[in-house]
Every structure is written in structure tokens, then in C-alpha cells.
């Protein structure tokens, strides 16, 4: 197996374990605005979406959200995340191996730059490696499942899509990779990854398995 020339990572739920606190906060916030959902509902229907699309979907399902809800929720989310979130187990070892192999890496996230600065910035050694390699949908004006965010990352390294690998934990990211012609691993440590495999991804249950799966 020939290793890729570029590995593109999603951020939340792939590099940092920020999804549980963020989704729990979202569940409680939507309940306060009249939309009661289970965590399974939240994980299935809202993971990986831009906040504008979260708000749209929530309103369509009965949430009475104020006009400035997105700004309010970001303020609460950022304050919550500043308490700290751990790295996904095995992430540092993956980056060490990519450095040794001379394989480039970048991050493509639907989250804003400020969120990545908060979550990744709490881990200075890793954040230093990723400076200049972070691509936010908010900055580039294009979001997964549109493939363009991934293609921007690939072009930044001068690498063709077929020589890239994407790691994502949401259907929107897996769809974007498929549309871009990029091999994708659907990261799901708690299940069989069916909702990601259904979008063309290969299930990845542990970050520690990634290097072997890409030929390192």
C-alpha cells in the first residue's frame, strides 16, 4: 500500500474530544427553547453541521430560537470549551509518525477558527505543529458536505485529491471526501460507523490503527 501524500483531519471529535460537551450543551440549550431531543437525536442529526444549519433545522423542528441565537450559543460554547477538552487518544502518536514519514497534514473543519484556537490551543505542542495548516469553513466561505474545503487543503499542499486521505466523524465530512475523490476514514469509536460507511467511508475505530491503515 502506498501511503498518502497528505492527511486531512476534521477537528472536533477527531483531534479533540469536544463533541460530547458541545452536543450536551446544544441538547440542553434547545430544550430550553422548546425542542426536546435525546443525545442520539443530536448526534445523528446535528453533528458536523454549520451552526446556521443547526439553527435552521432546530427551528424547523419546533425550537423557538431568538434572532441572535447563534451568537449567544457560540459565546456559551466557547466559555464551556475554555475549561479544556482532551485530545483524542493516539492523536499525538499519529502526528509523530506522519512527521517521521514526511507526510503532510492539514485540518479542515466546519467550526470557526476561534473554536479551533480554543480547543487545539489548550495543547500547545500539537497546536504549534498545526499553525498555518488550519482551514475553517467560516474563513473560506465553503463548508462540508461541499468538497471545496477539502480541495482547498489539498491545493495548499500541491497534492492531488487521489493522493489524500480524510479523517472525519460526521456524515457531512465523509460526503465531502467522496465528492472530492478523497479516500475517507469514518472515525467512530463507539459503534460500527455505519452512518459514515454509508457515505463511502472506511470505518476507523481507533486513531492508533490509522498508521497501519494508510501504509505506515
Amino acid at each position: 500500500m502506498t501511503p498518502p501524500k497528505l492527511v486531512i483531519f476534521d477537528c472536533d471529535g477527531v483531534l479533540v474530544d469536544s463533541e460530547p460537551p458541545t452536543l450536551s450543551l446544544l441538547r440542553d440549550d434547545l430544550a430550553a427553547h422548546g425542542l426536546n431531543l435525546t443525545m442520539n437525536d443530536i448526534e445523528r442529526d446535528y453533528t458536523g453541521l454549520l451552526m446556521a444549519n443547526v439553527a435552521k433545522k432546530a427551528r424547523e423542528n419546533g425550537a423557538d430560537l431568538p434572532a441572535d441565537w447563534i451568537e449567544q450559543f457560540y459565546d456559551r460554547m466557547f466559555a464551556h470549551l475554555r475549561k479544556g477538552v482532551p485530545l483524542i487518544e493516539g492523536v499525538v502518536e499519529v502526528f509523530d509518525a506522519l512527521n517521521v514519514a514526511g507526510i503532510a497534514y492539514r485540518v479542515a473543519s466546519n467550526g470557526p477558527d476561534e473554536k479551533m484556537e480554543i480547543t487545539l490551543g489548550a495543547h500547545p505542542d500539537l497546536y504549534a505543529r498545526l499553525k498555518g495548516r488550519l482551514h475553517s469553513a467560516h474563513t473560506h466561505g465553503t463548508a462540508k458536505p461541499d468538497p471545496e474545503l477539502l480541495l482547498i487543503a489539498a491545493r495548499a499542499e500541491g497534492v492531488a485529491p487521489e493522493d489524500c486521505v480524510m479523517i472525519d466523524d460526521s456524515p457531512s465530512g465523509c460526503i465531502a471526501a467522496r465528492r472530492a475523490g478523497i479516500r475517507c476514514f469514518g472515525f467512530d469509536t463507539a459503534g460500527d460507523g455505519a452512518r459514515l460507511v454509508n457515505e463511502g467511508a472506511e470505518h476507523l475505530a481507533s486513531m492508533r490503527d490509522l498508521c497501519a491503515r494508510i501504509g505506515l
Side-chain angles (χ1 to χ4, degrees), residues 148-164:
E148 182 61 18
L149 190 63
L150 308 189
L151 296 174
I152 288 170
R155 288 196 296 269
E157 290 290 344
V159 175
E162 59 267 25
D163 292 322
C164 299

Side-chain angles (χ1 to χ4, degrees), residues 33 60 134 156 168:
H33 289 92
E60 289 172 348
L134 302 173
D168 210 297

